Amino acid sequence: MHGVKSATLALVIAACLGGAHAQVTLGTTTTYTTTTGSVATELAVGTDLADIKTEIATSASSGVSLYITKVKNDFDLISVSGTVMAKFITEYGTDFVDSFLTSSLAADVSENAKKEMVEKTVMDMVVMHLVLGKITIYPTTVANWDSAAAYYIGNADGFTTFDRATKRAAASDFGTADATTGEAAINTAIITALNTPSTANEAKIIELFQVLYLQNVLKYAYEIDTELAEGDVTELEEVVGEGLAFWRVLKPWLKARDTAGAATLDGIFDIANIPVSGKPTVQGARHWNYCRAKPIVDAHMDSLTSAGVIIGTYAPVTADGTTCPTVIPTGAEAAGAYTVGGVTYTFTNDVGASLQFSEAIADIKSMLTNGDSMANVAAAYTNLGLRGLADLPRIADADGYTLFNTEHGSVTWISDLMDLALASPNTWVPKLSARNEIIEKTLMDALAVQCIHDDLAHAATTAHSAADKRLFFDHAAAKFLGTSTARGSTVFARGNKRGKNYGTAPDGINSAASLAILTALKTGAAVSGNLAADDTARAAQIAIVTRQIKIIYSQATLRYAKLVNDDLAENNPFAEHQAEGMAFFNVIRPWVKASSVSDATVAVLDQIFDVQTSPESYDNFAYCVTKKAIDEFVGTEDVSLLGVLEDVTADGTTCAATLPSGTSIVTDTDTYSGAADLGASLSFSSAVMKTLDQLDEPPFTQVLASFKSTGISGAGDEARVGEPVYDLFKAYFGANWMTTYVTAAADNEKTPTSSSAARVEIIEKTIRDAVATQLILSDLYRGTLGLSDAHDKHWDHGAAKYLGTDGDRSVTVYNRAEKRAENFGTLTDNTAGDPEADANYAVIAALKAGKTADTKAKRVAQYNVVKRQIQLVYSQCVLRYANYLDAAFLDRTDYAEHQAEGQAFWRVIAPFVKQVNANGATFLTGVFDLSREVSEHTHYCRAKTILSDLGLAFGEDKEGGSLTGIRNDNCDGVEVPEDATEYLAKAPSSGAAPKFGVALASVVAAAALALAL
């Protein structure tokens, strides 16, 4: 082991005749041989130091006690007249070692930090002065240089500065050891200089000591970044304490030529940032501590012209690819760098550590934009120090750290969320672009707000000095405003974006909220006193900051609720907007939950932004429920600060006074209870009612607009590929079949009929029945795919759409079943003695059983029950309208409306029928073909035969019941044509003549009739 003193120390003692003295050769590769008296006392100090080091491991105080016993006297004998000692006394005062050891033991830091401060002071500060004290008093006296060499090199089992230099020269540190001998370059240079006492070599050795502690300062600045990045409080405390002890060895020299740099290093190694009685306040991101220290260290190194060695590069810096910007902002940049919207924030402290926060966020955003791998982004999240900032413990204030941890369920909730988003492959949020949004907004917004809030919580802590309170205001402002190059990655920028969206940016650039925050920070920072009144003044400004942050993220949450709402309405992908909304809502959710907003309402907002489930929203439900919650959250005094969302103004969105809500749906048949609030799914029936209320005269402009704006059209058109019912119907009708059908009926050129009344029926039944049944079966099918909370939600969605709200139940499938049950006599009295549809009893029983099913198979069985009952209800509809066509033929009455209505009902089940009887499906399609004239009176009988292939039975005492008023109930000998296509080809067509008889006199009356059927 080259260069290791303890393994190769050579002692050469020559006994000389005539009273000659003994010589001692110290060192191995580069050696020093004493020429005067014994240096045994000096060498023993090294052994004593090793003993002290061992004792410190037991406790810092016992180490100090042993120092006092064994080494203190040696240190106290150093003359204060030496140039180096004088410099240190000027900086620290007399007895600076004793006073620091005493203050270290009393410091509000961990025991491990105390141990590091004590050990490095004794091993390094003391030894350096023992060496330099000898050579700076009598720079050419050989005996003093012998003593200096003995102190520096020590004996085999000791620990001295020689050993420190060896550590720093190792390949794992600065790599400045000789490639052949393995000896540290600094050791070689110091021992060589010691061999030739001179004023020049005295100066050289002083500079070499500075090089050694420049290495130590740089190493521990880097280690602070490392431990900060990992969020390791225990290690962070140690490296700050250790770094402080090393920095003190260097400080008087560096401060003499760079006062500002020394102040920055004081801040980096300030043990006030690692209080054991409080929470750590170490600042830094993007390797700021290392990168800020490096130019200070490099500049001082450049001034050491006599040293003749290099400082080297710290190996971990090379290993992890750390690079530092050429210029690191400190907050003291040129005028205007921190002026926005006419407000200037003036920093009185070096806040580069917090300014680099915005740069770190910008780095992550750039990686996401450039498509970097999630593995690299995850590494950057840690290496840039953001994970550590997210995970470090903070002040346990009721309105901040404690509240957020409780509501988010973890002290590391930000990193937990980041880890979910960064996982690859990803089943949590499969869509990469959505995960990118979560990552960006969680860092730029949630983490930033938490860090700003923590700085201000410290600024509000009465125990801090006024200077410290100003420091924390400065750090909060730096994080809020960011650097001029990365200001787009700050909360300030987020506020400006939302200000433009809501019309709350008076100058068209800077939002009122952002400027109010900056002004409050500026005003709070300017409070210079430290009396109770001063703290009250600061608290008032901090309250403004918090209030305006709530405004910004209330705006953001509401905007993304609207965007999700519109995505659903327009059948556009919603994952990105939902993910963004979740990230924004996370910023304020604990505050919202703690406000007067009900837990139930917060749970509804959670559903909207639950990235693991498909959100539900009809008739602007997502926007409206969020708007009501946000208005209540910010309060009547501040609601005007929100402004008006531009999208709402553009599309004329309005909200009902009362929105559907609740976990239970009570019907006359039975009650269904969901796991969570069902308001979003219940809003479907509200949307249907609202839309059908617009059903008027052609060209049906208002009903079409409502069909689309309420989200009914978008929901109906959603591509649900892989779901059996959807795939079956898409194969039969083609994509977007319901919207295509409705818009064709509403279009004067594309409509299959000239009868306004018939067109009304097509539109009404498609919206009310076809869309509803598709969505119900889709939701329930999704619920059968598992038994998780997400699957339960889908099941609940389907149940809510089937049952609807109490006020809108007249436009639900539940109501359709009731009407058909009245026609077919399939009713059973409820507990109040009122008749209710057997189909609804069966459906609700199946919905409840499926809800509590403990296996997928059991839930699937209940899904099949619901599907069969839907087929039964709409088979009853088809039979009823087939009977109307029989009557029209027999009575020679108008049948246009009935044929259209029958067609709309038939389309609800046509693909199901085709599965079991393709020829029969062709026949019924022909029966309700609006271009075909009614030419027979056997439609009912043939339809009954065809529909029986679904496994349904109709007649007295049969499940499907018997239709009241059958015009031709003698089905004996009536058969379905063997070739329906051939049969229908021979049937008369309406041709170019009007497709239907005289239209109803009043289309409005027809609409009212349709709703009653």
Side-chain angles (χ1 to χ4, degrees):
M1 296 175 63
H2 299 293
V4 179
K5 160 199 72 171
S6 59
T8 58
L9 177 65
L11 295 177
V12 180
I13 301 175
C16 300
L17 297 175
H21 65 269
Q23 290 182 318
V24 179
T25 299
L26 307 172
T28 54
T29 304
T30 304
T31 61
Y32 182 97
T33 302
T34 60
T35 58
T36 58
S38 171
V39 290
T41 300
E42 290 86 345
L43 290 174
V45 168
T47 302
D48 291 339
L49 289 172
D51 292 340
I52 293 170
K53 189 173 187 293
T54 300
E55 191 64 26
I56 289 172
T58 301
S59 75
S61 60
S62 60
V64 170
S65 296
L66 193 60
Y67 161 74
I68 293 172
T69 300
K70 291 196 170 188
V71 178
K72 174 176 163 52
N73 287 338
D74 296 88
F75 181 81
D76 289 345
L77 290 173
I78 301 172
S79 173
V80 297
S81 63
T83 55
V84 174
M85 180 64 77
K87 183 182 290 289
F88 275 69
I89 290 173
T90 299
E91 177 61 34
Y92 299 123
T94 57
D95 298 324
F96 58 86
V97 168
D98 289 349
S99 62
F100 183 71
L101 293 176
T102 300
S103 65
S104 294
L105 295 180
D108 182 23
V109 296
S110 69
E111 174 65 13
N112 286 339
K114 292 177 182 180
K115 289 178 178 179
E116 295 296 348
M117 291 189 291
V118 169
E119 179 185 321
K120 273 58 182 184
T121 298
V122 173
M123 303 296 146
D124 295 83
M125 177 76 85
V126 169
V127 173
M128 182 188 74
H129 281 287
L130 288 174
V131 173
L132 297 182
K134 290 295 183 180
I135 67 173
T136 58
I137 300 171
Y138 303 104
T140 58
T141 302
V142 174
N144 284 345
W145 287 62
D146 284 351
S147 295
Y151 280 134
Y152 183 80
I153 299 171
N155 57 23
D157 57 357
F159 187 95
T160 66
T161 309
F162 180 98
D163 301 282
R164 183 73 65 209
T166 299
K167 284 189 171 185
R168 292 297 84 86
S172 59
D173 265 46
F174 287 85
T176 54
D178 185 277
T180 302
T181 66
E183 184 162 80
I186 288 175
N187 284 337
T188 299
I190 286 179
I191 294 172
T192 299
L194 285 169
N195 273 297
T196 308
S198 69
T199 301
N201 278 337
E202 171 201 352
K204 182 182 182 72
I205 292 170
I206 290 173
E207 289 194 359
L208 286 166
F209 268 102
Q210 292 176 61
V211 173
L212 174 59
Y213 290 96
L214 285 171
Q215 288 179 327
N216 283 290
V217 164
L218 205 52
K219 172 186 171 74
Y220 283 90
Y222 177 89
E223 294 302 326
I224 288 174
D225 285 328
T226 298
E227 303 308 335
L228 188 60
E230 295 176 359
D232 190 329
V233 176
T234 300
E235 291 297 324
L236 182 62
E237 291 169 342
E238 290 185 28
V239 296
V240 171
E242 198 166 1
L244 171 62
F246 284 134
W247 160 232
R248 283 173 54 82
V249 179
L250 175 69
K251 179 179 176 179
W253 287 301
L254 191 146
K255 184 178 178 180
R257 55 160 299 279
D258 184 2
T259 303
T264 294
L265 294 174
D266 281 341
I268 290 174
F269 299 113
D270 186 353
I271 60 171
N273 291 324
I274 53 169
V276 73
S277 63
K279 304 302 179 184
T281 56
V282 178
Q283 303 281 357
R286 210 175 182 229
H287 310 290
W288 179 82
N289 291 284
Y290 170 79
C291 290
R292 185 69 184 93
K294 191 171 192 315
I296 297 171
V297 166
D298 287 348
H300 193 72
M301 182 66 190
D302 289 343
S303 72
L304 304 179
T305 56
S306 300
V309 295
I310 62 172
I311 195 169
T313 300
Y314 189 42
V317 172
T318 302
D320 66 18
T322 298
T323 58
C324 296
T326 304
V327 177
I328 301 178
T330 64
E333 284 67 54
Y338 304 102
T339 298
V340 289
V343 180
T344 298
Y345 190 98
T346 303
F347 297 101
T348 60
N349 294 280
D350 183 338
V351 290
S354 290
L355 289 171
Q356 284 301 298
F357 180 84
S358 63
E359 294 284 353
I361 302 299
D363 289 345
I364 296 287
K365 288 172 62 178
S366 177
M367 294 177 75
L368 297 174
T369 300
N370 295 330
D372 216 327
S373 71
M374 285 294 104
N376 287 343
V377 175
Y381 173 55
T382 297
N383 293 338
L384 291 173
L386 299 176
R387 181 182 293 276
L389 289 175
D391 293 350
L392 282 177
R394 306 186 186 283
I395 288 183
D397 61 325
D399 193 42
Y401 181 71
T402 302
L403 175 67
F404 275 71
N405 290 345
T406 299
E407 290 302 328
H408 286 299
S410 170
V411 296
T412 57
W413 64 271
I414 289 177
S415 287
D416 295 343
L417 192 60
M418 287 292 293
D419 290 339
L420 283 172
L422 289 165
S424 186
N426 199 293
T427 56
W428 181 59
V429 179
K431 190 171 185 178
L432 176 61
S433 57
R435 298 204 306 278
N436 286 349
E437 296 295 349
I438 293 172
I439 293 166
E440 177 185 325
K441 274 63 180 183
T442 297
L443 297 181
M444 176 174 164
D445 300 275
L447 177 56
V449 167
Q450 288 295 296
C451 289
I452 291 167
H453 187 88
D454 188 58
D455 285 332
L456 294 179
H458 283 284
T461 301
T462 57
H464 286 307
S465 66
D468 282 343
K469 291 171 183 176
R470 173 58 195 256
L471 173 64
F472 285 117
F473 263 102
D474 281 358
H475 276 299
K479 292 186 183 78
F480 174 71
L481 197 55
T483 65
S484 58
T485 56
R487 193 153 294 151
S489 298
T490 62
V491 175
F492 175 83
R494 183 70 65 214
N496 287 348
K497 285 187 175 182
R498 294 298 83 88
K500 293 175 185 177
N501 298 140
Y502 282 82
T504 55
D507 61 1
I509 300 173
N510 301 294
S511 76
S514 289
L515 292 179
I517 291 172
L518 188 59
T519 300
L521 289 169
K522 177 180 179 179
T523 304
V527 178
S528 58
N530 208 27
L531 301 177
D534 300 309
D535 286 336
T536 299
R538 292 187 185 96
Q541 299 307 313
I542 292 171
I544 292 173
V545 172
T546 301
R547 181 189 313 131
Q548 295 297 338
I549 284 175
K550 290 177 180 178
I551 291 296
I552 291 171
Y553 291 97
S554 291
Q555 290 175 326
T557 299
L558 185 57
R559 179 170 187 256
Y560 281 85
K562 172 63 174 169
L563 289 171
V564 169
N565 190 101
D566 292 351
D567 287 340
L568 294 171
E570 297 165 13
N571 192 29
N572 289 330
F574 59 80
E576 288 183 27
H577 288 150
Q578 186 187 44
E580 284 184 271
M582 180 200 71
F584 286 135
F585 186 41
N586 279 340
V587 179
I588 59 170
R589 185 188 180 281
W591 285 325
V592 175
K593 184 83 178 297
S595 74
S596 62
V597 177
S598 70
D599 289 353
T601 299
V602 174
V604 173
L605 269 59
D606 287 339
Q607 289 181 47
I608 294 169
F609 299 120
D610 183 351
V611 294
Q612 291 189 283
T613 61
S614 298
E616 292 266 278
S617 179
Y618 303 94
D619 192 21
N620 296 299
F621 177 85
Y623 168 78
C624 291
V625 73
T626 306
K627 172 66 173 165
K628 289 178 183 293
I630 291 299
D631 285 356
E632 183 176 350
F633 166 57
V634 301
T636 54
E637 292 185 3
D638 291 338
V639 71
S640 62
L641 300 177
L642 291 172
V644 179
L645 181 60
E646 58 191 349
D647 295 344
V648 171
T649 302
D651 64 19
T653 298
T654 58
C655 297
T658 303
L659 298 174
S661 64
T663 58
S664 295
I665 305 171
V666 179
T667 73
D668 291 336
T669 304
D670 200 351
T671 297
Y672 179 86
S673 296
D677 191 277
L678 302 170
S681 297
L682 288 171
S683 69
F684 177 77
S685 63
S686 301
V688 172
M689 178 65 83
K690 178 178 181 177
T691 300
L692 295 184
D693 280 345
Q694 308 299 315
L695 199 50
D696 51 13
E697 298 181 356
F700 305 105
T701 303
Q702 290 180 311
V703 73
L704 275 182
S706 183
F707 177 51
K708 294 178 180 177
S709 67
T710 59
I712 300 172
S713 172
D717 290 345
E718 180 189 352
R720 298 180 289 274
V721 177
E723 296 183 19
V725 172
Y726 173 82
D727 290 342
L728 177 68
F729 276 65
K730 181 175 180 290
Y732 189 94
F733 291 116
N736 304 333
W737 68 91
M738 285 176 283
T739 296
T740 300
Y741 188 48
V742 169
T743 54
D747 191 312
N748 288 336
E749 299 298 324
K750 297 179 181 179
T751 178
T753 173
S754 59
S755 167
S756 295
R759 293 162 72 185
V760 164
E761 296 299 344
I762 290 172
I763 294 169
E764 189 246 321
K765 269 61 182 182
T766 302
I767 292 173
R768 174 178 165 178
D769 297 273
V771 175
T773 53
Q774 284 293 304
L775 299 186
I776 291 165
L777 291 174
S778 173
D779 286 334
L780 296 180
Y781 174 77
R782 292 176 182 182
T784 67
L785 299 178
L787 298 173
S788 69
D789 289 345
H791 296 105
D792 289 348
K793 287 180 182 178
H794 284 302
W795 192 264
D796 285 346
H797 292 172
K801 291 187 184 74
Y802 184 92
L803 300 171
T805 67
D806 188 58
D808 302 316
R809 193 155 295 136
S810 61
V811 294
T812 62
V813 177
Y814 175 95
N815 178 262
R816 184 68 69 202
E818 291 293 326
K819 289 181 177 296
R820 290 302 83 89
E822 292 172 7
N823 301 140
F824 282 79
T826 51
L827 296 161
T828 299
D829 288 350
N830 62 16
T831 55
D834 298 322
E836 301 297 332
D838 291 341
N840 284 334
Y841 282 112
V843 167
I844 296 179
L847 291 172
K848 293 171 70 173
K851 176 70 177 178
T852 59
D854 55 7
T855 67
K856 288 170 60 176
K858 290 179 181 178
R859 186 169 282 181
V860 169
Q862 300 307 318
Y863 163 79
N864 287 329
V865 170
V866 176
K867 183 170 72 171
R868 188 173 187 280
Q869 291 302 316
I870 286 174
Q871 291 172 348
L872 174 64
V873 170
Y874 288 95
S875 291
Q876 290 175 328
C877 291
V878 170
L879 285 173
R880 184 168 188 252
Y881 284 87
N883 185 57
Y884 276 134
L885 296 185
D886 285 349
F889 177 78
L890 293 170
D891 299 337
R892 295 298 187 262
T893 55
D894 178 59
Y895 58 84
E897 185 180 346
H898 287 148
Q899 190 178 37
E901 197 167 0
Q903 183 187 73
F905 282 134
W906 163 239
R907 287 168 60 91
V908 176
I909 59 171
F912 291 130
V913 175
K914 185 181 178 182
Q915 272 190 314
V916 296
N917 187 340
N919 183 65
T922 299
F923 178 79
L924 288 176
T925 299
V927 167
F928 297 111
D929 183 348
L930 304 187
S931 67
R932 177 181 173 275
E933 291 184 4
V934 174
S935 59
E936 59 182 59
H937 62 282
T938 59
H939 300 91
Y940 173 84
C941 290
R942 287 171 169 166
K944 181 179 176 182
T945 299
I946 295 167
L947 295 173
S948 68
D949 286 343
L950 287 173
L952 305 173
F954 298 92
E956 294 296 336
D957 299 324
K958 302 292 187 183
E959 180 184 19
S962 181
L963 177 63
T964 301
I966 301 173
R967 289 303 307 276
N968 179 23
D969 61 355
N970 183 7
C971 296
D972 293 342
V974 178
E975 297 180 352
V976 178
E978 290 185 4
D979 188 336
T981 302
E982 181 181 351
Y983 174 83
L984 293 169
K986 297 176 181 178
S989 171
S990 61
K995 296 171 183 170
F996 299 89
V998 179
L1000 294 179
S1002 170
V1003 175
V1004 175
L1009 176 62
L1011 289 174
L1013 292 174

